[in-house]
Amino acid sequence: MFGWRFAYFAGWWDSLEHIHVVDRSGSSLLMRSGNPATYRLFGWGGPTVSTPMLKAKLQDVAGTAYADVNLTDVSLLTVEAETIAAEERAFGPELVRWPLVGVEESTFLEACFRANASKAQHGGCDVNAQPEALSDEVRKAMAESFTHWDVDNLTSKVEALRAMLLSYGHAQTPGIVLFHCNCGCDRTGMLAAAYSMRYLAKTFTEAMGEAEQIAGRQLVYRFQVGAQWYCESLLARGLYYGYDCGNCAPFRCADSGDPMDPRLVWDLRCATIFVAALLFVAALRLRRWCSRRRKRLAALNSYSYKELPSSASLA
C-alpha cells in the first residue's frame, strides 16, 4: 500500500517531465517522457490525461511542425493503477501497455543456474547479475537464451517500437510514438538504451550515460542490468560490435539501493525546513497566547480578592 501511494506521489511529481526525442523517421518521431497525466494541486483529485495538453508539451520539445499529430501512447507502468486508468480513459483500446520490471534477482539466478548446469559448471551466479562476473561460456549461453528468460521481452518491444515509428514515417500526417513510465527515468531509460544500441549505433556506455543524464541520477539497478543483458544478447546475435556490455564501472556494479531523484531530495529538505519553521512560529504563538492567558487569570484572581469583604466588616 505504501509503495503504491509513493508511486502516486512520484507520478504527480514527474508529471509531463523528462520529454526527449529518441529517433525520427520522415516527419514522425519516437519520444520518451515521464508520467503523461496531470494533477490538481498536490495530486488531489487523481490523475487526468489530457491529450491536447500532452500534445502541447510534446510540441514544446519537438517543434511547431508537430502541433497536430497522430499520437501513440506506449505505457510502461506497472503498479500505478490510477494513472493507467486515466490513460485508458484518454486513449481507449489504442493504448499500448508494456509493463516493465527489469532483471529481477530470482529470474536471473534461475536462468544462470540452468546455464551453469548445461555447461557442467558450478558457481559464478552472482545476485548482482553482472555479465563480466560469469565465465565466457556461461555468459554466452545466457545471452543466447535472453529472449527465454527476459520477462520484459525487450527484444520484441524494441523491434515493435521501431515498427511503430516506421509506420508513422510513411504516413502523410506526422505521428509521435511516446513511451513512458512514471518518472521517465528507469523503465523508460532501459527501453531507450536498448533501442539506442539496436538502431542508433550507440554503445552501452553511451546509451546508459545518456539515460542517467536525462534522469539526473543513476537508474534503478535492475533496469541498468536489463540494458546490459540486452546488449549481450545483441552481441550474441551479431548485432552489436562493441565490447562494453559489462562496463559497469561508470554506473553501478552492485545494487546499492534505489536512487532518489536529487530534485526530490532537495525539495524534501526544503519542505522539512518549511514545516519546521511553521511549527516554530506556531509554538511561539501558543507560548504568547498562554502567557496572555496566565496574566489575564492572575488579574481576575487579584480583582476577586479585592472585592471580598474583610473579616471586620463581617463582624
Side-chain angles (χ1 to χ4, degrees):
M1 183 65 179
F2 173 77
W4 180 84
R5 295 310 302 175
F6 182 79
Y8 176 86
F9 173 76
W12 165 71
W13 182 260
D14 290 301
S15 173
L16 299 174
E17 292 289 334
H18 298 137
I19 301 175
H20 294 269
V21 175
V22 177
D23 195 11
R24 63 182 67 239
S25 174
S27 58
S28 297
L29 299 177
L30 176 65
M31 301 184 72
R32 55 175 291 178
S33 78
N35 184 5
T38 54
Y39 299 75
R40 296 178 185 176
L41 184 64
F42 298 117
W44 298 116
T48 302
V49 175
S50 166
T51 50
M53 185 178 295
L54 177 57
K55 288 182 178 181
K57 290 291 290 186
L58 297 177
Q59 181 190 341
D60 289 343
V61 176
T64 55
Y66 296 89
D68 185 22
V69 296
N70 295 318
L71 177 62
T72 297
D73 179 17
V74 180
S75 176
L76 313 179
L77 300 177
T78 52
V79 299
E80 299 85 354
E82 286 198 2
T83 305
I84 294 169
E87 288 186 286
E88 290 173 342
R89 289 192 295 270
F91 294 98
E94 296 181 0
L95 173 67
V96 179
R97 284 211 57 214
W98 290 350
L100 299 182
V101 297
V103 174
E104 296 182 322
E105 180 182 314
S106 58
T107 304
F108 172 79
L109 289 178
E110 182 181 350
C112 186
F113 291 148
R114 284 200 305 266
N116 269 276
S118 67
K119 296 297 179 183
Q121 296 183 15
H122 302 282
C125 295
D126 186 78
V127 293
N128 292 315
Q130 280 298 318
E132 292 300 316
L134 304 175
S135 67
D136 292 342
E137 281 189 318
V138 173
R139 182 169 65 252
K140 183 179 179 182
M142 290 279 291
E144 290 174 345
S145 63
F146 179 69
T147 55
H148 299 293
W149 61 268
D150 171 33
V151 295
D152 287 331
N153 295 314
L154 268 183
T155 300
S156 62
K157 286 180 171 59
V158 168
E159 293 172 358
L161 269 186
R162 181 68 172 179
M164 290 180 200
L165 175 62
L166 293 180
S167 67
Y168 270 153
H170 298 306
Q172 293 182 347
T173 304
I176 293 178
V177 180
L178 175 70
F179 63 97
H180 70 87
C181 54
N182 216 26
C183 170
C185 305
D186 305 296
R187 291 164 283 191
T188 303
M190 177 180 69
L191 185 56
Y195 183 94
S196 297
M197 289 185 284
R198 177 67 178 90
Y199 292 111
L200 302 181
K202 292 184 180 180
T203 64
F204 165 74
T205 305
E206 292 170 340
M208 187 53 55
E210 182 179 48
E212 288 195 353
Q213 183 179 13
I214 291 174
R217 58 167 173 79
Q218 294 176 321
L219 269 62
V220 170
Y221 186 70
R222 63 181 181 275
F223 297 109
Q224 174 198 311
V225 171
Q228 287 184 263
W229 277 105
Y230 178 78
C231 177
E232 290 285 354
S233 73
L234 291 178
L235 185 62
R237 291 187 289 154
L239 299 174
Y240 186 80
Y241 304 100
Y243 295 95
D244 66 336
C245 300
N247 182 27
C248 60
F251 314 111
R252 288 197 288 176
C253 296
D255 190 354
S256 54
D258 287 357
M260 184 174 283
D261 193 322
R263 296 178 307 137
L264 183 56
V265 173
W266 173 256
D267 283 350
L268 284 175
R269 290 174 179 171
C270 291
T272 301
I273 294 172
F274 178 71
V275 171
L278 286 179
L279 292 175
F280 179 73
V281 171
L284 287 179
R285 292 179 66 87
L286 179 62
R287 181 180 178 183
R288 189 176 301 171
W289 180 85
C290 291
S291 177
R292 289 200 301 265
R293 182 73 175 169
R294 283 195 299 269
K295 289 180 179 178
R296 185 176 301 173
L297 290 174
L300 288 174
N301 289 335
S302 175
Y303 179 77
S304 299
Y305 289 142
K306 290 179 181 179
E307 290 295 320
L308 287 174
S310 62
S311 56
S313 63
L314 290 175

